[in-house]
Amino acid sequence: MDARAEASALPKTSVYPPVEDLPPKREKPAMTADERSRLQKELIAARDRQTSAVKARAGAARPKPIKP
């Protein structure tokens, strides 16, 4: 006989939930439309501040090339 035939089947345990196991629908949304628009505006403003700061640093750090 084969050794695998005598071994009991190991239970299949996984750290990940099955794909078809979805959580129940929420009763109320996570964010209201006003909260979402406020958060979007804050994120856009933060992105613009960071972009301008990076551009300012990149312009100051890059010396102009010296022609021979």
Side-chain angles (χ1 to χ4, degrees):
M1 269 188 97
D2 194 323
R4 285 178 274 153
E6 293 178 18
S8 63
L10 296 174
K12 291 187 176 186
T13 58
S14 176
V15 294
Y16 301 107
V19 174
E20 64 275 352
D21 190 14
L22 299 175
K25 293 281 186 183
R26 293 178 181 243
E27 290 181 18
K28 75 176 210 177
M31 278 189 219
T32 64
D34 292 336
E35 290 172 333
R36 182 180 171 146
S37 65
R38 182 180 52 82
L39 184 59
Q40 279 181 324
K41 288 177 186 176
E42 289 176 9
L43 289 172
I44 290 169
R47 179 191 62 195
D48 293 341
R49 283 192 308 270
Q50 290 176 353
T51 302
S52 63
V54 167
K55 285 182 181 179
R57 258 186 291 162
R62 231 183 268 169
K64 293 186 179 182
I66 301 171
K67 292 185 180 180

